[in-house]
Amino acid sequence: DYDAALKLRADPDLFLARGRVDEALGQLDRAATGYEEGLRALSGAVSIRLPLIRVEHARRRFDRAIAWIDEAMVTSPLKADWLLLRAEEHASAGRAAAATADRERALAELDATLARRSSDSARLSHARALLALGRDADAARELEAIVARSPGLAEAQTLLASTRSRLNLARP
């Protein structure tokens, strides 16, 4: 019983496990309430915030998801990944201009980050921003370089495969 265990100790794994069970049972309202409880108890832990945003999206409460993202961005030194996530929520809410603005802002931040120091993590975020802006060919080149340096990076492999597939489908 997750509720009883959480009364004894606020543990992120327990909040996450209870939330996953609620989600699997289709109890999204209960999952959101539980994740919010975990977020308060654990001082805004990202490991709880991301599932809460996912559940708010599933409940089509895009503005609530955006509010949780905005809250995280206040203290985050790097905002690009949050901006990309917020862009998805704006797009889902039918606000294309706001989504594009967030994607462009994320790309600008990542360009500046990469000018200072390059890492596969920043490059992967850069590729995600390029994809979000519809720049698939640029993203494919970025992903190919990441995979060449870090072939075990599963997310890069997956994104590269799907990007190549889209590029091949787009060719006449």
Side-chain angles (χ1 to χ4, degrees), residues 115-132:
R116 289 188 309 274
R117 64 171 170 70
S118 179
S119 70
D120 284 340
S121 174
R123 292 208 167 281
L124 186 56
S125 291
H126 190 255
R128 278 195 236 100
L130 292 168
L131 288 169

Side-chain angles (χ1 to χ4, degrees), residues 137 140-141 144 163-172:
R141 284 190 293 279
E144 286 166 355
T163 302
R164 282 179 174 162
S165 176
R166 270 195 317 281
L167 286 169
N168 285 335
L169 291 175
R171 290 189 184 139

Side-chain angles (χ1 to χ4, degrees), residues 22-158:
D22 289 338
E23 286 183 70
L25 294 172
Q27 297 177 356
L28 298 181
D29 293 341
R30 180 172 156 76
T33 299
Y35 287 138
E36 285 184 47
E37 178 188 337
L39 202 57
R40 284 190 302 276
L42 300 169
S43 302
V46 172
S47 63
I48 304 291
R49 185 175 303 273
L50 291 173
L52 174 56
I53 292 166
R54 182 186 64 238
V55 166
E56 294 293 19
H57 180 89
R59 295 190 319 161
R60 303 189 58 76
R61 295 191 176 168
F62 308 120
D63 288 331
R64 291 279 302 149
I66 289 168
W68 291 118
I69 294 165
D70 287 345
E71 184 180 288
M73 284 198 306
V74 169
T75 57
S76 178
L78 298 174
K79 299 176 181 3
D81 287 334
W82 292 113
L83 287 164
L84 291 172
L85 188 56
R86 189 171 73 179
E88 290 177 32
E89 297 304 320
H90 279 306
S92 295
R95 297 187 288 264
T100 299
D102 277 350
R103 290 172 181 139
E104 288 173 350
R105 188 171 157 207
L107 184 61
E109 179 182 297
L110 289 161
D111 285 339
T113 299
L114 290 171
R116 289 188 309 274
R117 64 171 170 70
S118 179
S119 70
D120 284 340
S121 174
R123 292 208 167 281
L124 186 56
S125 291
H126 190 255
R128 278 195 236 100
L130 292 168
L131 288 169
L133 287 165
R135 294 174 52 187
D136 290 4
D138 293 334
R141 284 190 293 279
E142 184 82 77
L143 290 164
E144 286 166 355
I146 295 167
V147 168
R149 281 188 309 276
S150 302
L153 196 53
E155 184 180 359
Q157 294 272 6
T158 302

